Structure formats: structure tokens, C-alpha cells
């Protein structure tokens, strides 16, 4: 794992978008892992701008999202399918048949999860996985004590509160989700985790500099061979080794073109 600190949230988003765009230009049929949440809206806005202004081409890209709520159909505005269509898929030239999310409406959830893993393998595995982080340390919906493979997971009360702030919608809130497992994520060739804002500072410090523990699923990324954590100064506030992280961005050849 390496940590890159950018001054403002917008700078962290720009770097994230630039990494994705570069990967897509290099490999037009990139297998791209996608994430949801408020943080990612700005990333998708940026990718859409690159599509509109610079011809960033999604026509051959294949995508796999990390997670989906159980019991929410695609047309539900709270579902992650709806989110992805709204923020990215309907705004660029991607073929919707190449976009995948776990099916939270499947009759047989376990079979659907196994099928999801198989489809990822059939596509050759995920080249670049975009990640956010929840306050419980989750990546995808890998809440504390998470397992390795795609499966159903009970959401924590904290996550439900964060993703569905009160007053809750009249239809009620989902209590479970399907998520790629920690192992599914660790198998991605490259991971990029983006976290911005002071609200993320405590959990980022635990995930990056704390012990590797299934209580903080994102800490597993410390062991990934190519994981970049991109944070703004606010989200980096509680990190102890900032001078080292800054040195990496200033000196490592990989970052030269992004400086
Ligand atoms: C949800 C998603 C996570 C995401 C998290 C962060 O819980 N399942 O994949 O990382 O939100 O969300 P936000 O960016 O809104 O803080």
C-alpha cells in the first residue's frame, strides 16, 4: 500500500480520475471495479467531463460494482444500480450489457454471489478497483468480521444511519447487502481507495497505520501488492507518517506525470 496526500478534496478526486482515465486509454477493454457513496460522485462527474471534452472512451470497458442492497430493485433511487446509471453509465458511451452489479433481488442470493465471482473470472479478473471507505472501515460492504468471497452481509447500524439518515424512507431501509468479499478485492490487480474530508480521518488512520484486522476490512489492503490510498489533507489529519507519504509522491517515478 502507498498513501498519496493531496491538498484539497478536488485534487484527490482529480488524481483518482487521472489514474482511471490513463488505465482506460491504455487498455480500452479495461475491467473496472466501481464504488458508490457520496465521495465517488465527484469522480464520476470528472470521468463524464473527460468523456465529453477529451473523448475518453468507455465503449469497450467492462465494470463490476462492489456491492448492492438486498431487496432494492434497479429502479429504486436508493439502489446502487440506480446510482451508477444516474452518475456514470447513462452519461457516457458504455454498453450497459458490460456493466455488472450484484443482484439484490435474486431468489437465490448465494447462487447469485457465486455467479458474480464467476463472471469476474470470465472477464479475466478486475484490472483496477475503485474503493471508498465507510466509517466502520468497510470496503464495499465488508463490515467488521468480514469473509473473503462475495456474499450477503448484515449492514451495521452505523452504516445504515450514514447511508439512510433519518427520517428513513417510508418503504424502510435495507438491512443487508451483497458485497464482493475482502478476497475478491485483494485479487484485483490494482486498488485505488479515495477518502476525503475530516470525517474520514479516524478510519483512514486505522485502515492505513493500524493493525491488519477483520474489524477494519480496509486494513487488509495494507497487504495488497498495488494499492494506492488517495486522501486530502483533511482525511490525512490523523496519519503519523505523512512526511514519508509526501516523499513518495514527490520522488517515486510513477507519480512524475501526475505531479
Ligand atoms: C457505502 C458503500 C461503500 C463506500 C461508502 C462510503 O457504504 N458501500 O463502498 O465506500 O459508502 O461512502 P461515502 O463516500 O458516502 O462516505
Amino acid at each position: 500500500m502507498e498513501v498519496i496526500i493531496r491538498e484539497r478534496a478536488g485534487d484527490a478526486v482529480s488524481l483518482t480520475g487521472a489514474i482511471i482515465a490513463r488505465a482506460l486509454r491504455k487498455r480500452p477493454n479495461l475491467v473496472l471495479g466501481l464504488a458508490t457513496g457520496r465521495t465517488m460522485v465527484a469522480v464520476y462527474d470528472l470521468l463524464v467531463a473527460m468523456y465529453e471534452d477529451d473523448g475518453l472512451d468507455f465503449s469497450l470497458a467492462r465494470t463490476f460494482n462492489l456491492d448492492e442492497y438486498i431487496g432494492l430493485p434497479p429502479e429504486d433511487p436508493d439502489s446502487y444500480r440506480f446510482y451508477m446509471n444516474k452518475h456514470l453509465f447513462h452519461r457516457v458511451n458504455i454498453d450497459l450489457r458490460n456493466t455488472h452489479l450484484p443482484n439484490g433481488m435474486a431468489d437465490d442470493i448465494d447462487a447469485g454471489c457465486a455467479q458474480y465471482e464467476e463472471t469476474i473470472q470470465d472477464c479475466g479478473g478486475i484490472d483496477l478497483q475503485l474503493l471508498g471507505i465507510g466509517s466502520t472501515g468497510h470496503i464495499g460492504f465488508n463490515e467488521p468480521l468480514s469473509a473473503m468471497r462475495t456474499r450477503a452481509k448484515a449492514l451495521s447500524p452505523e452504516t445504515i444511519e450514514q447511508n439512510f439518515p433519518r427520517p428513513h424512507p417510508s418503504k424502510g431501509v435495507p438491512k443487508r447487502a451483497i458485497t464482493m468479499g475482502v478476497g475478491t478485492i485483494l485479487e484485483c490487480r490494482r486498488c485505488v481507495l479515495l477518502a476525503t474530508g475530516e470525517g474520514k480521518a479516524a478510519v483512514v488512520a486505522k485502515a492505513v497505520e493500524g493493525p491488519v484486522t477483520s474489524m477494519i476490512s480496509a486494513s487488509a489492503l495494507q497487504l495488497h501488492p498495488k494499492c494506492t490510498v488517495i486522501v486530502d489533507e483533511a482525511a490525512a489529519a490523523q496519519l503519523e507518517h505523512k512526511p514519508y507519504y509526501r516523499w513518495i509522491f514527490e520522488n517515486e517515478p510513477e507519480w512524475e506525470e501526475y505531479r
Side-chain angles (χ1 to χ4, degrees):
M1 176 190 276
E2 61 187 351
V3 181
I4 302 295
I5 305 172
R6 306 276 64 216
E7 196 181 334
R8 291 174 301 268
D11 305 320
V13 167
S14 297
L15 179 60
T16 306
I19 291 170
I20 296 170
R22 188 177 192 279
L24 193 53
R25 289 204 163 97
K26 197 169 165 202
R27 185 171 184 214
N29 65 344
L30 191 75
V31 181
L32 185 56
L34 296 173
T36 49
R38 287 169 282 260
T39 313
M40 296 305 155
V41 172
V43 176
Y44 297 139
D45 283 346
L46 179 59
L47 292 176
V48 170
M50 289 173 175
Y51 161 72
E52 288 173 349
D53 303 338
D54 310 322
L56 184 64
D57 181 15
F58 290 83
S59 62
L60 299 176
R62 285 124 349 130
T63 67
F64 287 90
N65 265 78
L66 287 164
D67 45 19
E68 177 61 282
Y69 294 110
I70 291 178
L72 296 193
E75 58 279 7
D76 188 312
D78 286 322
S79 75
Y80 282 163
R81 166 54 80 177
F82 192 96
Y83 171 108
M84 288 311 305
N85 286 346
K86 176 178 164 189
H87 291 292
L88 184 67
F89 299 155
H90 284 170
R91 302 166 72 197
V92 297
N93 66 336
I94 200 161
D95 183 339
L96 280 179
R97 290 168 301 182
N98 291 333
T99 65
H100 306 272
L101 281 91
N103 180 4
M105 298 300 286
D107 290 333
D108 186 339
I109 294 286
D110 290 347
C113 291
Q115 181 61 51
Y116 200 63
E117 296 257 349
E118 261 177 50
T119 312
I120 292 173
Q121 291 311 316
D122 291 346
C123 286
I126 293 171
D127 295 311
L128 171 57
Q129 177 66 54
L130 181 61
L131 298 161
I133 185 168
S135 58
T136 61
H138 69 220
I139 43 177
F141 270 131
N142 288 290
E143 298 281 42
L145 300 176
S146 266
M148 296 301 269
R149 312 287 3 146
T150 300
R151 73 217 178 282
K153 181 74 179 165
L155 299 174
S156 67
E158 195 175 339
T159 295
I160 293 173
E161 204 48 52
Q162 236 158 50
N163 292 6
F164 296 90
R166 284 170 203 275
H168 288 152
S170 53
K171 62 181 163 41
V173 296
K175 299 191 171 72
R176 306 172 77 218
I178 298 172
T179 179
M180 281 188 203
V182 176
T184 324
I185 295 168
L186 289 177
E187 283 163 13
C188 300
R189 288 180 197 98
R190 179 165 193 192
C191 291
V192 175
L193 187 150
L194 172 66
T196 55
E198 60 183 350
K200 294 287 164 80
V203 77
V204 164
K206 283 185 197 164
V208 170
E209 295 180 340
V212 175
T213 165
S214 64
M215 294 307 292
I216 301 285
S217 294
S219 68
L221 295 167
Q222 292 174 24
L223 305 176
H224 190 280
K226 184 118 187 78
C227 174
T228 306
V229 173
I230 301 174
V231 284
D232 63 355
E233 289 287 355
Q238 294 185 31
L239 292 172
E240 277 181 23
H241 297 278
K242 283 191 268 192
Y244 174 51
Y245 309 143
R246 292 193 213 285
W247 191 94
I248 287 178
F249 189 69
E250 292 309 326
N251 291 280
E252 279 292 282
E254 181 190 351
W255 298 109
E256 201 175 317
E257 66 183 285
Y258 298 104
R259 290 199 281 268

